[in-house]
Amino acid sequence: MVRTGAFGELLRGYRHAAELTIEDLSSASGVSVRAIGDMERGRSRGPQRRTVAALADALGLGPVERRALEDAARAGRPRAPASSAGGCEPPRGVGDFTGRAAELARLKHLAAEAAGDGPAVVATVSGGPGMGKTALIVHAAELFADRFPDGCLFIDLRGMDATPVAAGAALTRLLRAFGVAEARIPKDEEERAGFYRSALRDRRSLILLDNALDEAQVRPLLPGGGRSLVLITSRRSLAGLEGVHQVPLAGMPVEDSVAMLRRILGGERGGAGDLDSVAGLCGHLPLAMRIAGNRLLSRPGWTAGQLAGRLADEERRLDLLAAGDLHVAAAFALSYRHLSGRAAELFRRLALVPGPDFGVAIGAVLAGVTPDEAEDALEELVELGLLQAPYLARYRLHDLVRLFARARLTEEEPEDARRRVLRRMNSWLLDVTTVAGRWFEPEYGEPPAGFDGLVSLGTREEARAWLEGESANWLAALRSAAKEGEHARVVEVTGALHWFSDLVVHWDDWVELFELSSGAARALGDRHAEIVHLNYLAWALCACQGRFQDSVDRAMRAYELAVEEGDLREQGWALQYAGLALRRIPGSLEAAADHTREAIARFEAAEEWDGRRQAMSAYGDVLRFLGRPRDALAQHRALLEELRDPAYRGGPFLRRTTLALVLARLGADHAALGEWRAAADSLRESIPLLRTQGGPLWVGDRSHDLGVALRELGEAEAARKAFEEALACYAAIGDERAESVRAEIAALDGGSQAERPGVRASGPGPKVRQAGTANEGTDASR
């Protein structure tokens, strides 16, 4: 039976239950008869923990009874009110605290864990400047105060100050707050830390250690045991602390950001769209949104839309995000002052990175150091909250931090030095882009001997990963080259990417790239390059953006120029691209057939055999669209025999690519004839080739077609697997067709016949073209 009441009453009750006299208990526990008597008479209401443990052992108490005796002893000990002597009162909480539901739930769980039978619990709340770390732990303390009857103590360790609070000084303040007299506090810091741990062992307290500098500062302040919870905030992760829980903070979600602004304003001061704009311009940084909300409160005549308009000016945004003694820039400056010289220089120069994120190599180029040295500096920035590391070896600047870095760069480095660094980064980006892009050209492949671009491009997979990962950065570098009039450079880099573009057809940016390159070729007066890149542009307009008439217009402009130059090969490509677009324009199928037949003739005259095969394959598609699937089937079968002929003329890469596409088109021909088994067989043969030769869009389309054929054959499980592969491909590139495939899978599972799309009509297709010889200039990059 569990007893309650004062310590003396409990002790007497447990002694009687054990049928022991005071003398018996004294002998068994080692506690004097007089001391036990004083306890039972209430003269000694709160004996120390060791004494209570000895008595509980002698009485043979179970866990529940032992806990009751310990709690009664703790309640009977005289205490000064928490923080009254040491000035450790927590700051006032934020009445309009918003969001952070997941983090609060984690802290609530840790508070419950601390109240259990285990050791004291320690958690670090880390994040960059302005993330609301202090507000979070103070709000948590208000929510969980009843779990810690011995009070809540708060110390600002001032980790970002020039002189942070020493661990010894913090220990003294905490012990004073526990009610320990000054004379009893040990002078030796190590002894003081031991005394603190001993005092905390008998308490159920919540200790808030705010703004810690590093592990060394807080390690002496950690408890050794007991049922307390210690929450530490820091801009660093404090990963060196042993056995602690980590609660990292990032920017707030959009909905929480808008809700926070609404709570600060306390009424309707703008529509959801305006508040969303303000939150976005604040980078969803709690400190910035607090300041923005306070500025609106202090200016009743302003609307949220007007504030958003002012914040849209990047040059003034940081200056506007200041209210009273709250300054976003000042919060960043505290971290900046703690950087090493190399990290500070790199931080400033990161403002030159145009994309949203970047890899280690860009940091090395900006700082002029090795990748290992750059990574060390980048990790230092992450530790101080000035840089985010969302993925392995990828880094990102918060929008407001980027503005702060730009201001520091402008103020601390001369303009000519900034220009040199920017040119160095852009030149490197374009160099690596060219080498990586040429991995996909039959005439080039792996990087040339001696290439050292600071990144590994030893395989096609590595080249593709780099091109995709740094796409925003090299695209910006290409735009800069075009703006600076580096026309030959633009033509060279874009030409090196045209084979790669077939693998990522879903990028809208190809239209812009080929607009830049065709314009650059025109500025150079290089008619041949202009024709080639106009043809690439025609393909991009059709395949990437569905602008079919614009595609026809560009292709026919290329055709006119090719006729003037007497270039039969480029005439063939222009007619081929025009035909691909025309077949997507209602009422233009006959024109598409005419253009494609003419393309075949031009290619034959130029002895451009790979181009001829591309046009023949496309012509078969047009025949099917015209309602002549038997003729289409004959066309594609004849082309298949040619591709499998041992006397085939052409390169192996284009042979495999064209073979994959022709097999897919044979599948569509058979499907149009209702020959579902033959359709499935052809599609099954094409998909493995497309996985190695093409991109996810190609594989997705053909996997979908295979699913349709198998569904028609009644092979539901196999059809589901094919649809699931199509779904994975579309989802990977954000293609809207993913939703329709999900519906087809659901209909298949439910046996619904309501919506059963057939085999997809072939799209514009790739622009695979024959590579020229090494002495053909621009033509060699195709």
Side-chain angles (χ1 to χ4, degrees):
M1 176 177 132
V2 180
R3 294 174 170 82
T4 61
F7 180 81
E9 295 174 4
L10 281 178
L11 179 60
R12 185 184 299 110
Y14 287 137
R15 181 172 62 78
H16 288 167
E19 298 181 351
L20 296 175
T21 66
I22 292 179
E23 289 77 9
D24 293 336
L25 181 57
S26 173
S27 176
S29 66
V31 180
S32 70
V33 170
R34 179 177 179 179
I36 296 175
D38 286 347
M39 294 175 200
E40 291 192 356
R41 286 190 293 272
R43 293 178 181 175
S44 176
R45 299 175 181 273
Q48 293 301 307
R49 186 173 179 274
R50 284 189 293 271
T51 300
V52 176
L55 292 169
D57 290 341
L59 291 165
L61 298 182
V64 175
E65 290 81 4
R66 178 184 290 265
R67 173 63 58 82
L69 196 65
E70 290 171 349
D71 287 345
R74 183 181 297 107
R77 292 176 193 134
R79 302 187 188 282
S83 77
S84 63
C88 294
E89 183 72 22
R92 183 174 65 89
V94 178
D96 48 23
F97 186 92
T98 309
R100 301 299 191 196
E103 291 84 358
L104 284 171
R106 179 86 188 281
L107 295 180
K108 181 179 181 181
H109 173 77
L110 294 177
E113 183 179 324
D117 293 325
V121 176
V122 180
T124 61
V125 177
S126 60
M131 284 296 176
K133 301 180 291 295
T134 303
L136 174 64
I137 65 167
V138 170
H139 187 67
E142 293 175 345
L143 294 178
F144 314 142
D146 60 336
R147 297 175 182 266
F148 301 98
D150 291 326
C152 174
L153 306 181
F154 176 95
I155 288 188
D156 183 355
L157 296 174
R158 310 185 74 84
M160 293 294 104
D161 285 10
T163 306
V165 174
L171 286 167
T172 298
R173 289 178 58 190
L174 288 167
L175 288 170
R176 286 174 181 166
F178 286 155
V180 178
E182 186 78 33
R184 294 185 60 209
I185 298 176
K187 301 300 182 185
D188 180 79
E189 184 175 317
E190 188 173 338
E191 291 181 13
R192 201 179 314 164
F195 192 25
Y196 162 75
R197 288 192 294 272
S198 176
L200 196 58
R201 186 177 292 113
D202 291 326
R203 287 171 166 79
R204 292 176 61 185
S205 298
L206 177 57
I207 311 296
L208 308 181
L209 304 176
D210 192 38
N211 195 14
L213 172 64
D214 54 23
E215 293 89 342
Q217 185 190 30
V218 298
R219 194 172 275 116
L221 308 179
L222 302 184
R227 288 182 283 164
S228 293
L229 173 64
V230 178
L231 300 180
I232 309 166
T233 72
S234 179
R235 298 189 182 190
R236 295 182 166 93
S237 63
L238 304 183
L241 294 179
E242 305 85 0
V244 305
H245 302 269
Q246 295 196 3
V247 184
L249 289 189
M252 297 178 72
V254 175
E255 58 273 17
D256 286 350
S257 299
V258 174
M260 178 179 176
L261 288 171
R262 284 202 185 284
R263 292 199 67 184
I264 292 171
L265 297 174
E268 293 296 332
R269 289 286 299 278
D274 290 337
L275 292 177
D276 185 78
S277 296
V278 171
L281 290 165
C282 290
H284 305 287
L285 187 73
L287 174 61
M289 292 186 294
R290 170 71 54 190
I291 293 171
N294 288 351
R295 285 184 70 87
L296 279 174
L297 283 176
S298 65
R299 292 162 176 79
W302 285 21
T303 66
Q306 289 170 329
L307 178 59
R310 289 172 177 259
L311 291 174
D313 183 355
E314 287 190 349
E315 298 300 321
R316 299 185 58 210
R317 190 178 306 166
L318 284 180
D319 292 335
L320 287 169
L321 288 174
D325 61 352
L326 294 178
H327 301 265
V328 168
F332 299 153
L334 288 174
S335 287
Y336 181 68
R337 288 202 297 266
H338 279 261
L339 295 175
S340 65
R342 174 174 291 165
E345 179 185 68
L346 177 54
F347 172 71
R348 296 191 298 268
R349 294 178 178 182
L350 289 177
L352 299 173
V353 178
D357 55 55
F358 55 91
V360 172
I362 286 183
V365 172
L366 288 171
V369 298
T370 68
D372 285 345
E373 291 169 329
E375 187 170 20
D376 289 343
L378 291 167
E379 288 299 319
E380 183 179 340
L381 294 173
V382 172
E383 271 295 287
L384 279 164
L386 290 174
L387 196 61
Q388 301 166 4
Y391 312 108
L392 180 65
R394 299 294 297 177
Y395 299 91
R396 176 186 299 149
L397 279 173
H398 186 279
D399 290 346
L400 295 179
V401 177
R402 183 188 297 274
L403 295 180
F404 177 76
R406 183 190 300 172
R408 299 271 49 80
L409 180 67
T410 301
E411 186 169 324
E412 298 182 33
E413 298 196 29
E415 184 176 0
D416 59 339
R418 300 197 303 268
R419 288 184 177 276
R420 282 196 303 271
V421 173
L422 180 59
R423 283 195 298 268
R424 183 169 71 210
M425 178 183 68
N426 284 344
S427 179
W428 175 82
L429 282 166
L430 296 181
D431 285 344
V432 179
T433 299
T434 302
V435 173
R438 284 179 173 165
W439 241 120
F440 304 92
E441 294 188 42
E443 284 296 308
Y444 287 89
E446 61 185 297
F451 170 75
D452 182 14
L454 302 180
V455 293
S456 177
L457 298 178
T459 65
R460 283 168 57 99
E461 290 72 23
E462 287 180 334
R464 178 169 182 167
W466 188 87
L467 287 169
E468 292 182 343
E470 302 293 355
S471 59
N473 294 315
W474 59 253
L475 177 57
L478 192 70
R479 291 184 184 120
S480 178
K483 184 178 180 180
E484 296 294 325
E486 299 176 25
H487 303 307
R489 182 76 146 149
V490 172
V491 171
E492 176 193 26
V493 176
T494 311
L497 289 167
H498 110 83
W499 285 82
F500 174 68
S501 67
D502 279 331
L503 303 182
V504 283
V505 179
H506 55 283
W507 281 6
D508 285 345
D509 293 328
W510 293 120
V511 169
E512 180 187 358
L513 260 70
F514 294 131
E515 283 176 339
L516 290 175
S517 61
S518 56
R522 185 163 54 253
L524 287 170
D526 187 337
R527 182 60 63 87
H528 178 74
E530 183 181 0
I531 296 168
V532 169
H533 287 263
L534 277 172
N535 276 329
Y536 294 166
L537 176 57
W539 168 84
L541 287 164
C542 179
C544 304
Q545 294 189 1
R547 294 165 56 186
F548 305 121
Q549 188 56 57
D550 288 341
S551 175
V552 173
D553 294 343
R554 300 306 192 283
M556 295 316 296
R557 175 57 182 160
Y559 176 75
E560 293 169 1
L561 295 176
V563 169
E564 291 176 11
E565 295 295 309
D567 189 334
L568 292 171
R569 188 178 187 223
E570 292 306 323
Q571 290 174 39
W573 283 115
L575 291 165
Q576 162 77 342
Y577 293 136
L580 290 173
L582 281 166
R583 72 192 199 186
R584 305 292 293 275
I585 298 175
S588 300
L589 277 177
E590 290 293 350
D594 292 342
H595 281 71
T596 309
R597 281 195 300 267
E598 284 296 318
I600 294 171
R602 297 298 195 284
F603 285 137
E604 288 177 343
E607 298 185 354
E608 168 52 79
W609 306 117
D610 285 307
R612 169 182 161 276
R613 295 183 187 104
Q614 293 296 313
M616 288 176 64
S617 182
Y619 183 59
D621 278 346
V622 177
L623 290 174
R624 185 173 65 254
F625 298 150
L626 284 168
R628 297 164 57 186
R630 287 287 176 198
D631 293 338
L633 186 64
Q635 177 85 357
H636 289 137
R637 278 178 170 167
L639 186 52
L640 183 64
E641 291 179 8
E642 183 178 327
L643 290 166
R644 288 175 168 167
D645 189 335
Y648 171 86
R649 290 182 290 181
F653 177 82
L654 279 174
R655 185 180 191 177
R656 289 193 300 270
T657 301
T658 308
L659 176 62
L661 296 172
V662 170
L663 286 168
R665 283 163 166 155
L666 279 168
D669 298 337
H670 285 299
L673 291 165
E675 299 169 353
W676 297 109
R677 178 58 62 194
D681 290 344
S682 292
L683 290 163
R684 275 200 175 106
E685 191 175 356
S686 74
I687 290 171
L689 290 170
L690 291 171
R691 287 196 190 103
T692 59
Q693 301 297 115
L697 189 59
W698 298 12
V699 178
D701 284 348
R702 301 295 76 82
S703 295
H704 170 268
D705 294 348
L706 176 60
V708 171
L710 293 169
R711 184 186 64 197
E712 295 299 325
L713 289 168
E715 300 177 16
E717 187 57 35
R720 181 183 295 103
K721 290 181 179 178
F723 283 141
E724 286 172 350
E725 179 165 13
L727 175 61
C729 291
Y730 292 143
I733 60 176
D735 193 287
E736 60 186 11
R737 283 173 286 188
E739 289 305 314
S740 66
V741 176
R742 285 192 181 93
E744 289 185 82
I745 293 173
L748 187 69
D749 290 339
S752 171
Q753 304 294 313
E755 185 176 348
R756 295 167 58 118
V759 172
R760 300 189 192 283
S762 296
K767 58 180 186 321
V768 287
R769 306 181 60 168
Q770 182 180 11
T773 58
N775 62 357
E776 289 184 78
T778 306
D779 195 42
S781 66
R782 288 185 293 157

